[in-house]
Amino acid sequence: MFWISGVAGGLVLLAVLSSILRTLVVPRGLYSALVFRLWWLLRRLLRLAAPSGGYRAIDRAQTWLAPFMLIGMLATWLGGALVGYGLLQYALSPLSWATSFREAGSSLFTLGFASGARISLSALDFVAAATGPVVIALQIAYLPTLYAAYNRRELEVTLLQSRAGEPAWGPEILARQWLVDTETALPELYRSWERLAADLGESHATYPVLLAFRSPRPYRNWLVGLVAVMDAAAMQLALAPRSAPPEARLVLRAGFSALRDIARSVRIRFDPDPAPDAPIQLTFAEFEEAVAMLEATAFRSERTTKEAWPHFHGWRVNYEAVAYELCRRCDAVPALWTGPRDFRATSVSPERPIDRQPGPTAAG
């Protein structure tokens, strides 16, 4: 019984240490089973707090996912360490179960109220006493990194709102630029989101808990925004390849590379080199409707809709499947062209502001 307890305690401590190193220390976005099981559990528990199942109820409930994840990770690691050290205390001494866990907890949280004063346990008590503060210190140092990446992300998402509406949609980005004669600003938009995509691929793959952080407004979402910018670039390249800026190709490449990096970190399977004519979920009818809306804004196409569709299809096949799965897992706003969700919701279209202009009798 004692050696079984010792082996079990050692394995628990190894699992906790591995999860801490993978999540907080190693800058490679390594998969931690403990963290993702916790994410899976909390996400489903919060879903129970939204019995209506609509998006706004889901969004209100899932807002708490990120803070609960941070608290839950710390509690899981400290609880696992307590179990591991308690089992080792029991295996290495004649103490009872209750006394072993009491002494392990006293050492782990550096309270010092329980000590058997045995030389054989002194080293274990010292290690346990160092574990608690180190884990808490790593978690505290972890938070500024998360919130710095969150702020960089949300700044660009907020700036996109005036160009794409809420929620963002690729054809709407192009339509608004041609409606107000700001299409020359598109290259700068693509450059900004190319840099943001690289940032997202690095930060969200290294710290996947950032996927649980939601935007301050319910209809804003970084993932929906990235898909919208990529769709806008793909449509411009497909419909007007000669006048499309080269930044459109760059943001597409950076975008689907970032999505694939994030997908690898959370173990989403995808085809790394899909054929240009591989099937996608977006239909030609949806594309045709978007093109008709776009052409009504004085956008000049260089190809017909049928000629442009294979080119748009060839771009979108690189990122659609990964984007849809991430949107589903993150419970993102059900924007147009972002796939299905796990809750009942119809696709939400962006609202275009009314063009109000002064009349001939207006004062001044």
Side-chain angles (χ1 to χ4, degrees), residues 215-300:
S215 294
R217 296 280 295 271
Y219 284 164
R220 291 179 190 169
N221 183 273
W222 67 272
L223 188 53
V224 169
L226 179 59
V227 173
V229 172
M230 295 171 70
D231 282 339
M235 284 193 72
Q236 193 171 7
L237 286 168
L239 290 167
R242 289 190 296 274
S243 60
E247 289 85 355
R249 290 178 177 271
L250 298 177
V251 74
L252 278 165
R253 182 70 188 184
F256 69 71
S257 296
L259 291 176
R260 291 176 179 185
D261 288 342
I262 297 171
R264 291 186 187 96
S265 70
V266 296
R267 294 193 175 180
I268 294 176
R269 295 181 178 179
F270 61 89
D271 185 356
D273 187 21
D277 57 350
I280 61 174
Q281 294 188 42
L282 188 74
T283 64
F284 174 73
E286 292 174 295
F287 178 73
E288 187 177 33
E289 183 179 356
V291 172
M293 180 272 294
L294 183 58
E295 290 181 340
T297 65
F299 177 89
R300 294 184 178 276

Side-chain angles (χ1 to χ4, degrees), residues 30-41 69 208-209 211 265-267 329:
L30 300 179
Y31 185 85
S32 172
L34 281 176
V35 172
F36 281 94
R37 296 294 183 275
L38 179 65
W39 186 0
W40 181 90
L41 176 63
M69 277 290 298
V209 71
L211 298 174
S265 70
V266 296
R267 294 193 175 180
R329 293 194 185 190

Side-chain angles (χ1 to χ4, degrees), residues 22-356:
R22 288 168 176 267
T23 305
L24 303 181
V25 181
V26 181
R28 290 200 62 176
L30 300 179
Y31 185 85
S32 172
L34 281 176
V35 172
F36 281 94
R37 296 294 183 275
L38 179 65
W39 186 0
W40 181 90
L41 176 63
L42 289 175
R43 178 170 172 253
R44 278 152 182 76
L45 289 176
L46 288 171
R47 288 284 299 276
L48 298 177
S52 64
Y55 171 69
R56 286 191 172 273
I58 292 292
D59 179 71
R60 285 194 298 270
Q62 295 297 328
T63 299
W64 295 96
L65 179 58
F68 284 174
M69 277 290 298
L70 296 175
I71 296 172
M73 287 190 301
L74 182 60
T76 300
W77 291 329
L78 291 177
L82 175 62
V83 171
Y85 285 121
L87 291 171
L88 287 176
Q89 293 271 13
Y90 179 76
L92 298 176
S93 71
L95 299 178
S96 65
W97 286 103
T99 306
S100 297
F101 280 91
R102 182 170 180 267
E103 182 163 338
S106 171
S107 300
L108 180 64
F109 298 104
T110 65
L111 299 175
F113 65 83
S115 176
R118 284 167 296 279
I119 296 177
S120 61
L121 294 182
S122 294
L124 189 60
D125 287 336
F126 290 153
V127 174
T131 300
V134 168
V135 172
I136 295 173
L138 286 173
Q139 181 83 338
I140 293 173
Y142 181 57
L143 294 179
T145 302
L146 293 182
Y147 282 100
Y150 175 79
N151 289 335
R152 292 194 303 270
R153 185 187 82 185
E154 293 306 315
L155 174 62
E156 293 296 336
V157 174
T158 303
L159 289 173
L160 184 66
Q161 182 270 337
S162 62
R163 299 171 182 256
E166 291 184 359
W169 183 40
E172 183 70 10
I173 294 177
L174 297 178
R176 289 197 183 196
Q177 308 318 303
W178 263 265
L179 278 171
V180 295
D181 296 325
T182 57
E183 63 271 16
T184 55
L186 281 171
E188 180 60 31
L189 174 69
Y190 294 151
R191 281 194 294 269
S192 298
W193 277 81
E194 179 194 1
R195 181 171 293 276
L196 179 63
D199 190 356
L200 292 171
E202 187 276 329
S203 59
H204 288 54
T206 303
Y207 306 112
V209 71
L210 282 166
L211 298 174
F213 282 71
R214 305 183 73 83
S215 294
R217 296 280 295 271
Y219 284 164
R220 291 179 190 169
N221 183 273
W222 67 272
L223 188 53
V224 169
L226 179 59
V227 173
V229 172
M230 295 171 70
D231 282 339
M235 284 193 72
Q236 193 171 7
L237 286 168
L239 290 167
R242 289 190 296 274
S243 60
E247 289 85 355
R249 290 178 177 271
L250 298 177
V251 74
L252 278 165
R253 182 70 188 184
F256 69 71
S257 296
L259 291 176
R260 291 176 179 185
D261 288 342
I262 297 171
R264 291 186 187 96
S265 70
V266 296
R267 294 193 175 180
I268 294 176
R269 295 181 178 179
F270 61 89
D271 185 356
D273 187 21
D277 57 350
I280 61 174
Q281 294 188 42
L282 188 74
T283 64
F284 174 73
E286 292 174 295
F287 178 73
E288 187 177 33
E289 183 179 356
V291 172
M293 180 272 294
L294 183 58
E295 290 181 340
T297 65
F299 177 89
R300 294 184 178 276
S301 299
E302 299 167 7
R303 290 175 175 146
T304 66
T305 305
K306 288 185 178 180
E307 291 172 341
W309 169 247
H311 298 275
F312 177 78
H313 182 288
W315 282 112
R316 203 168 205 264
V317 74
N318 291 288
Y319 59 88
E320 185 191 76
V322 174
Y324 279 16
E325 180 61 16
L326 285 172
C327 284
R328 184 190 69 81
R329 293 194 185 190
C330 294
D331 295 312
V333 53
L336 297 172
W337 294 14
T338 59
R341 300 292 186 270
D342 289 338
F343 50 87
R344 298 189 305 274
T346 56
S347 296
V348 182
S349 303
E351 292 186 6
R352 188 176 298 171
I354 300 174
D355 183 16
R356 299 184 184 275

